[in-house]
């Protein structure tokens, strides 16, 4: 029992004051007939909930009976695509007309929502509109109950909806209460009590879809038993394969050449994946956009997580995992040391702050040399006499003259977490800018004709030419191509960055460049420059090179076709 988006807006409008049907139609840009239908459905919801009613004579006005219940209805809102998705997954046979009737949406709106569902969740399920069979939803992995439970965990309005639908049936199947309670405690610590309850709600709500029959006492009973049995079997399977899965996580770390700061990371990853398998997570578009920069900075970790999660999903097609969340576990295991010592000049107004900031720097980074001074003239003399990559001062010196030093960072007293994150990037960028001739020598740069070929064809031809020049080994070519053929390529600002872990020993990453005479398309982006990054297994830090490339090339104008070696080196800070 929930308003659609427009129904909610109509009730809010009537709460502000009375209005005619024509005025509402003009306000919301729909026909008067549509407004009449929306008002009838909204009124039915208001009356059923005891929140109030819409009076229709002589104009529409809202009569409130319970402000608390009305506020609850108005806050229990999710978008139309989610409403259509829930309707489809709670019906034995869905059709445009029946879904439209349940959601209060027009046929055209239902069709548009189906497209949006496929866009959001196309890797999990497929929804098709078939003239003879109505709406057909097919799960590529997981199942309807897990999917709806994940939606409910993400959105409190969805949770309130399925709880309201399932609660009467929970009471009706009271004979199962002991079994449900036993299941909830049995799954601890893999599931919280709340998660276990949400799974039962979702199983009841999706029972008609799973069984192909109208919800009844027996259908609800069977759905609960089936859900409990399925989760118990999955729980037993995970425990039985615990060491195999930990071993897989460890082997993949070695294959990807990843050296992490926590030796128990494979065990931590198993526990994360096990919890995710027992209760899946659905990421929002907003969250995916928030981690885009992290993915650019750490492609090796995201490649690893994708391979690990895919491996488990192949063994268990009935689960769904978000590999991005797995990658974040790895990214958060600690800051890697810099490749070589970096000199830092630290100017502090107070000695107590100096000791704190020095300790924070030395605990956050290895291979650094910190020199501290306490006044501006001393800082100027030290800078003139030494070679410092990083200059840090606190803001107590603001406005003092002369201050002509190129300060890297001005902090507010004690260094913050964001200050340290920024310094990490500056330190790695400084090292890479100084070693560009070794990382990207002229012999590893090549101008290449695109010839109207597709991206992968151009890349393969360019790698072959670079191999004949001696810039990379022949056995490295299939490693790069295999990674790019997996999809989800790394690209930004007109640049594609294919990459791989290579067995060729090296103490620093190697970059190969293909400057194209015309743009080629890669996953919707026009590419004018291909930078191939080869990272050796033996390297401690495999991620900062990507952060460096993005920080230097990700801002400003897109790279245009025909960029020269000298122009590229200049843009990279060399």
């Amino acid at each position: 029992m929930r308003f659609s988006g427009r129904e909610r807006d109509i009730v809010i409008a009537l709460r502000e004051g009375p209005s005619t049907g024509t005025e509402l139609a003009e306000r919301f840009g729909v026909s008067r007939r549509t407004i009449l239908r929306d008002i009838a459905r909204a009124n039915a919801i208001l009356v059923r909930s005891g929140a109030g009613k819409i009076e229709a004579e002589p104009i529409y006005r809202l009569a409130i009976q319970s402000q608390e219940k009305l506020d609850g209805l108005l806050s229990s809102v999710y978008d139309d695509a989610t409403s259509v998705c829930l309707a489809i997954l709670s019906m034995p046979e869905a059709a445009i007309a029946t879904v439209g009737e349940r959601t209060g949406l027009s046929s055209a709106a239902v069709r548009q929502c189906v497209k949006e569902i496929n866009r959001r969740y196309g890797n999990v399920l497929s929804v098709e509109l078939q003239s003879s069979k109505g709406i057909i939803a097919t799960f590529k992995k997981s199942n309807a109950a897990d999917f709806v439970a994940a939606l409910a965990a993400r959105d409190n309005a969805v949770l309130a909806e399925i709880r309201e639908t399932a609660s009467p049936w929970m009471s009706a199947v009271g004979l199962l209460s002991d079994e449900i309670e036993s299941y909830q405690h049995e799954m601890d610590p893999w599931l919280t009590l709340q998660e276990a309850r949400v799974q039962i709600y979702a199983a009841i709500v999706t029972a008609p879809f799973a069984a192909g029959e109208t919800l009844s006492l027996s259908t609800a009973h069977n759905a609960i038993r089936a859900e409990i049995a399925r989760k118990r079997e999955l729980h037993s399977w995970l425990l039985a394969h615990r060491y195999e899965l930990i071993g897989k996580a460890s082997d993949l770390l070695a294959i990807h050449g990843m050296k992490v700061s926590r030796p128990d990371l494979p065990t931590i990853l198993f526990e994360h994946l096990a919890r995710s398998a027992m209760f899946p997570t659905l990421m929002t578009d907003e969250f995916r956009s928030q981690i885009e920069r992290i993915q650019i900075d750490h492609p090796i970790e995201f490649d690893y997580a994708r391979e690990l999660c895919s491996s488990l999903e192949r063994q268990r097609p009935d689960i769904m995992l978000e590999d991005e969340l797995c990658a974040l576990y790895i990214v958060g295991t600690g800051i890697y040391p810099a490749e070589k010592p970096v000199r830092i000049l630290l100017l502090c107004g107070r000695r107590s702050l100096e000791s704190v900031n020095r300790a924070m720097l030395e605990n956050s980074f290895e291979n650094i040399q910190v020199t501290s001074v306490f006044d501006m003239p001393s800082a100027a003399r030290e800078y003139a006499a030494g070679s410092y990559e990083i200059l840090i001062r606190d803001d107590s010196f603001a406005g003092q003259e002369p201050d002509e030093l190129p300060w890297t960072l001005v902090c507010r007293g004690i260094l913050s977490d964001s200050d340290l994150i920024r310094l990490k990037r500056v330190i790695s960028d400084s090292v890479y800018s100084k070693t560009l001739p070794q990382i990207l020598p002229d012999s590893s740069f090549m101008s290449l004709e695109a010839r109207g070929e597709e991206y992968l064809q151009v890349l393969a031809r360019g790698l072959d030419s670079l191999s004949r020049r001696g810039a990379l080994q022949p056995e490295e070519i299939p490693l790069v191509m295999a990674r790019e053929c997996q999809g989800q390529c790394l690209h930004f600002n007109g640049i594609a960055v294919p990459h791989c872990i290579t067995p060729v020993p090296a103490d620093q990453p190697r970059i190969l460049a293909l400057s194209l005479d015309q743009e080629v398309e890669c996953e919707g982006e026009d590419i004018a420059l291909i930078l191939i990054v080869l990272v050796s297994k033996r390297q401690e830090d495999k991620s900062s090179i990507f952060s460096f490339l993005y920080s230097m090339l990700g801002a400003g104008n897109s790279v245009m076709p025909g960029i020269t070696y000298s122009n590229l080196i200049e843009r990279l800070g060399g």
Side-chain angles (χ1 to χ4, degrees), residues 144-209:
D146 270 357
F147 183 81
V148 170
L151 283 176
R154 194 179 73 182
D155 191 324
N156 286 332
V158 176
L159 174 59
E161 180 86 1
I162 69 169
R163 181 169 52 213
E164 182 179 350
T165 302
S167 292
W169 299 100
M170 291 278 286
S171 301
V173 294
L175 293 176
L176 286 178
S177 59
D178 290 342
E179 187 171 350
I180 293 172
E181 185 176 355
S182 174
Y183 164 71
Q184 292 171 342
H185 290 287
E186 183 182 331
M187 292 299 106
D188 184 55
W190 302 92
L191 292 173
T192 66
L193 292 178
Q194 172 67 7
E195 286 174 332
R197 292 190 188 98
V198 171
Q199 286 180 340
I200 300 300
Y201 298 152
I204 293 173
V205 168
T206 60
F209 173 84

Side-chain angles (χ1 to χ4, degrees), residues 296 490-497 519-520 522 524-531 549-561 563 568 571:
I296 289 173
L490 180 60
H491 51 80
F492 54 84
N493 215 21
I495 306 166
V497 190
E519 294 172 331
V520 298
C522 175
E525 180 162 352
D526 292 331
I527 301 301
L529 176 67
I530 301 176
L531 296 178
L549 292 175
Y550 184 78
S551 65
M552 294 297 179
L553 301 174
N557 297 328
S558 298
V559 172
M560 302 302 293
I563 187 172
L568 176 58
R571 287 196 63 168

Side-chain angles (χ1 to χ4, degrees), residues 1-12 28 34 37-39 41-42 45 73-74 76-84 99-106 109 113 161:
M1 188 168 60
R2 185 194 68 88
F3 294 134
S4 70
R6 189 168 58 241
E7 290 164 358
R8 175 179 181 270
D9 292 341
I10 289 172
V11 171
I12 291 174
F28 296 107
T34 298
R37 185 193 63 195
D38 288 347
I39 286 177
R41 189 174 182 278
I45 293 173
L73 283 174
L74 293 176
S76 180
V77 173
Y78 41 82
D79 65 13
D80 290 342
T82 301
S83 180
V84 168
V99 170
E101 182 180 349
R102 177 173 294 191
T103 60
L105 298 172
S106 66
C113 287
E161 180 86 1

Side-chain angles (χ1 to χ4, degrees), residues 284-324:
T284 63
D285 287 344
E286 180 183 8
F287 184 78
R288 290 185 191 280
S289 66
Q290 289 174 347
I291 65 172
E292 281 181 359
R293 176 57 199 262
I294 300 176
Q295 194 163 357
I296 289 173
D297 289 347
H298 300 275
I300 304 300
E301 287 87 345
F302 278 79
D303 288 347
Y304 166 86
R306 193 177 301 115
E307 189 171 345
L308 178 62
C309 291
S310 297
S311 172
L312 181 52
E313 286 179 338
R314 284 193 296 270
Q315 292 180 269
R316 294 290 306 217
D318 58 333
I319 66 173
M320 60 177 179
L321 302 170
E322 293 282 16
D323 52 73
E324 291 94 339

Side-chain angles (χ1 to χ4, degrees), residues 338 340-346 361 365-373 381-392 406 408 423 426-427 430-431 434:
K340 54 191 300 184
V342 174
R343 297 194 67 192
I344 298 177
L345 179 61
L346 178 63
L361 289 169
F365 308 101
E366 294 183 7
N367 298 328
I368 61 171
Q369 297 176 357
V370 181
T371 299
S372 300
V373 292
R381 287 194 300 271
E382 189 64 39
Y383 177 73
S387 177
Y388 291 94
E389 289 88 0
I390 308 294
L391 279 72
I392 305 171
T408 307
L423 284 173
V426 171
I427 289 172
S430 173
V431 172
K434 290 184 177 182

